[in-house]
Every structure is written in structure tokens, then in C-alpha cells.
Amino acid sequence: MSRCLSERTLMRLIAGGGREAQRAHLAACDRCEARYRAIGDALDHVREVLLHTEPPLRSAPLLARYWMPAIAAAVASLALLVWVEITVWRAVTTAQPEEVTAFLSDLSATMFSARDALAAGDDGLASGCPSDPLAILGCESDTSSDAPTDTYPERSR
């Protein structure tokens, strides 16, 4: 006779489909009929289990099941980001020598101009400037012309 039917064809025959030649082969072939009955019995068992079994109760609340791992992952990511910022980026981004030189020259010019203004003492008071060391920084006498002067010539290079 012809060769035996495939599993797909047997499933189609169980569902009520298939061709007449396939049904005739099923009736004539003992192997195909045994496989057909085994598949039918398995499907009947599955149907019984699905119809007569209660769904399982939820054991854990949804918050603990889904949100807690997400929150833990977010906290770990934040900790990693902070660690990278503190250790890696701070070590990588160093100040350029030109920036350090400009900052130090600004700082020293400010410190020495305040010291010179405090040392002048009476000259500052005579020109109407207060004697407070912090307020004296903004008080400069206009003894020369109104033209701006280049206070930091090394920066213009």
C-alpha cells in the first residue's frame, strides 16, 4: 500500500479534516490506527485536565515578583554610575596646564593686590575707600586716565 500518514495528517483527521484517501489508509493500516488512537487518548486526557483542574493561586504578590528586581537593578545601576563618576571620570579629566597657570596667576594677582591695598593703609582711607579688607578689593583709585589697562599681559599670548 502507500506509506503511513504523518503526525500532522493524523491530527487533521482527528479534528475532522483530511481527504478520503487518508481516511481509507487509516482504516486499512494498523500502525496508523494505533498512532491515531494514542493521539486521541492524549488529547482526551489534556481536555479532562483542563476542564476539571482549578487554576493555581498566586503565591507572591505582583509587586514583589516584578517590581523588586527592577528596583534592585535601578539601585545597582545608580551605584555603578556614582562609582564610575567618582573613580574613572575624575581620574581621566585632568586640568590642562594652561588652565592651571591662568587660575594661579588670577589667584596670586588677587592676593597681592589685596595685600598692597591693605599695606597702603591711610592712602586708601584718604581716597574714600573703606578699611574693610574685603571691601577694599573693589575700591581702586582713578589717578590715571579712563583707559582700561591690561592687568594680565601673560594671558594675551
Side-chain angles (χ1 to χ4, degrees):
M1 210 158 183
S2 67
R3 54 176 227 199
C4 289
L5 301 174
S6 67
E7 297 290 321
R8 178 180 256 173
T9 305
L10 290 173
M11 293 291 286
R12 195 175 298 137
L13 288 170
I14 289 172
R19 290 179 280 170
E20 194 59 40
Q22 293 168 340
R23 283 193 188 93
H25 175 82
L26 181 62
C29 181
D30 291 336
R31 274 184 53 201
C32 289
E33 183 185 355
R35 289 177 35 225
Y36 177 83
R37 271 189 270 123
I39 291 173
D41 290 342
L43 287 175
D44 287 338
H45 183 68
V46 169
R47 183 181 312 126
E48 289 298 317
V49 168
L50 289 176
L51 288 175
H52 299 293
T53 305
E54 294 294 323
L57 298 175
R58 292 191 176 191
S59 60
L62 288 177
L63 180 65
R65 188 184 237 172
Y66 297 109
W67 286 103
M68 293 306 260
I71 291 171
V75 168
S77 299
L78 183 64
L80 179 68
L81 180 68
V82 168
W83 178 78
V84 166
E85 174 64 27
I86 290 173
T87 58
V88 176
W89 289 112
R90 303 272 170 134
V92 171
T93 56
T94 58
Q96 300 296 327
E98 297 85 19
E99 292 174 357
V100 172
T101 304
F103 173 74
L104 290 177
S105 66
D106 286 347
L107 182 66
S108 65
T110 303
M111 287 173 52
F112 291 126
S113 68
R115 185 180 296 163
D116 291 342
L118 288 175
D122 295 332
D123 292 311
L125 294 175
S127 65
C129 292
S131 63
D132 183 24
L134 295 177
I136 205 163
L137 292 177
C139 185
E140 297 172 359
S141 62
D142 292 335
T143 57
S144 63
S145 66
D146 289 338
T149 59
D150 188 12
T151 309
Y152 307 108
E154 64 273 357
R155 277 195 186 173
S156 60
R157 286 188 255 168

